[in-house]
Amino acid sequence: MVHFTAEEKTAIASLWAKVDVEAAGGEILGRLLIVFPWTQRFFDNFGNLSSDSAIMGNPRVKAHGRKVLISFGNAIKYMDDLKGTFAQLSELHCDKLHVDPENFRLLGNMIPIVLAIHFSNEFTPQMQAAWEKLTMGVANALAHKYH
Amino acid sequence: MSLTKAERTMVVSIWGKISMQADAVGTEALQRLFCSYPQTKTYFPHFDLHEGSPQLRAHGSKVAAAVGDAVKSIDNVAGALAKLSELHAYILRVDPVNFKFLSHCLLVTLASHLPADFTADAHAAWDKFLSIVSSVLTEKYR
């Protein structure tokens, strides 16, 4: 089970408070679809994903990115029980959505990069390490109920 | 996997923007690596890895120089990194998984230094480029 120190929790929460969830969510999901185009396989019904600008401007990408990031906010609220927090979502992604858990890691990798763009020097190595732990924890929690 | 002309242009342009601070970028990427992936420190038992350590800075410069060489010879990365590839295969034998971690930390470092320039397509080009560099460095492993 992943364990966060008090410093890590404070660091993560303090940065999260400044994140524009609306904008960041779309950016994170958009970058996933652009940098790893094979991830578009899950979003055939999203309409126009034919170019970088189409993807970043796509309203369904923005809406879904926001949804995903809001859910991520729960991870921050319940950092001490990620597996419990994401149990139902894990089952959903396995049984209904059929998403390879490797995609959770790919998406998780987008988060520190987008945070680095928005927060620059404030996104120190220590801050990054706390967030890497969180994204890894969430990815594992989402994979936990797979069978 | 190979880079399109547009991707090559993107990679060269981004590196050009930080080339004056390449050493610092290399060092910062390593710091981020050791912080987020502490298991990578096992390859450096002989180093002082504290922030500001001259060994860390020297090694960061080495890493940056190698990336710079790959950028300069972007049409022939395998040729440019042939010696480094042998070094990693026969002497260093760093497990291939670690190239992904260092690549990721290089991307984070670039993103934090060039927030306006590290657009999604620049990010995609660099991810691909570092993937190619990693492949070249592990190509002789077995």
Side-chain angles (χ1 to χ4, degrees):
Chain A
M1 199 194 90
V2 74
H3 173 76
F4 295 91
T5 64
E7 291 79 20
E8 285 167 339
K9 288 185 188 178
T10 306
I12 288 170
S14 76
L15 206 71
W16 182 248
K18 305 187 227 182
V19 169
D20 175 353
V21 174
E22 192 83 41
E27 172 119 29
I28 287 163
L29 184 63
R31 278 185 187 246
L32 178 75
L33 300 175
I34 289 167
V35 177
F36 307 111
W38 55 94
T39 58
Q40 292 170 26
R41 69 190 295 288
F42 300 106
F43 303 103
D44 276 340
N45 59 340
F46 266 30
N48 188 6
L49 298 179
S50 61
S51 69
D52 290 4
S53 52
I55 290 171
M56 283 311 202
N58 184 309
R60 296 197 61 176
V61 171
K62 286 192 204 177
H64 194 68
R66 179 178 168 275
K67 195 179 182 184
V68 168
L69 204 59
I70 286 175
S71 170
F72 207 85
N74 274 337
I76 295 172
K77 260 212 300 229
Y78 305 108
M79 254 187 268
D80 290 327
D81 181 22
L82 293 176
K83 292 199 163 80
T85 305
F86 288 97
Q88 272 183 313
L89 268 177
S90 179
E91 283 173 6
L92 177 80
H93 281 76
C94 174
D95 299 333
K96 298 272 163 11
L97 304 177
H98 311 294
V99 175
D100 177 349
E102 179 59 21
N103 292 285
F104 307 140
R105 278 153 213 125
L106 293 180
L107 181 71
N109 278 339
M110 297 293 105
I111 295 175
I113 290 171
V114 170
L115 291 176
I117 289 173
H118 285 272
F119 295 104
S120 236
N121 286 334
E122 208 182 329
F123 197 64
T124 61
Q126 293 73 14
M127 179 68 85
Q128 179 190 349
W131 277 86
E132 299 285 355
K133 218 167 153 179
L134 180 66
T135 56
M136 173 83 81
V138 171
N140 288 338
L142 280 170
H144 190 64
K145 292 289 196 175
Y146 272 56
H147 59 97
Chain B
M1 180 173 42
S2 67
L3 297 167
T4 64
K5 210 150 173 236
E7 286 164 345
R8 277 176 233 201
T9 304
M10 200 103 256
V11 169
V12 170
S13 148
I14 290 279
W15 192 251
K17 296 193 154 91
I18 55 93
S19 59
M20 297 303 277
Q21 331 142 42
D23 286 0
V25 164
T27 303
E28 186 182 322
L30 286 177
Q31 275 171 328
R32 289 182 180 279
L33 179 73
F34 297 137
C35 240
S36 282
Y37 309 101
Q39 67 273 24
T40 56
K41 292 190 284 187
T42 57
Y43 291 98
F44 300 92
H46 52 302
F47 267 24
D48 166 12
L49 294 176
H50 290 103
E51 201 177 329
S53 134
Q55 283 176 313
L56 189 59
R57 261 184 285 129
H59 201 69
S61 298
K62 260 195 195 159
V63 169
V67 173
D69 284 345
V71 172
K72 248 188 282 181
S73 302
I74 201 164
D75 293 331
N76 181 17
V77 173
L81 301 183
K83 285 224 173 74
L84 258 185
S85 178
E86 284 177 5
L87 181 75
H88 282 79
Y90 306 129
I91 317 282
L92 302 177
R93 290 167 294 178
V94 171
D95 191 284
V97 72
N98 296 290
F99 293 99
K100 280 207 178 131
F101 297 145
L102 180 58
S103 296
H104 176 67
C105 290
L106 271 160
L107 294 179
V108 172
T109 304
L110 289 174
S112 102
H113 282 257
L114 300 171
D117 300 293
F118 206 66
T119 57
D121 54 350
H123 173 176
W126 265 87
D127 191 290
K128 209 169 155 182
F129 170 66
L130 291 176
S131 202
I132 290 170
V133 169
S134 303
S135 278
V136 166
L137 291 176
T138 54
E139 152 182 271
K140 302 183 170 134
Y141 270 51
R142 56 177 169 172

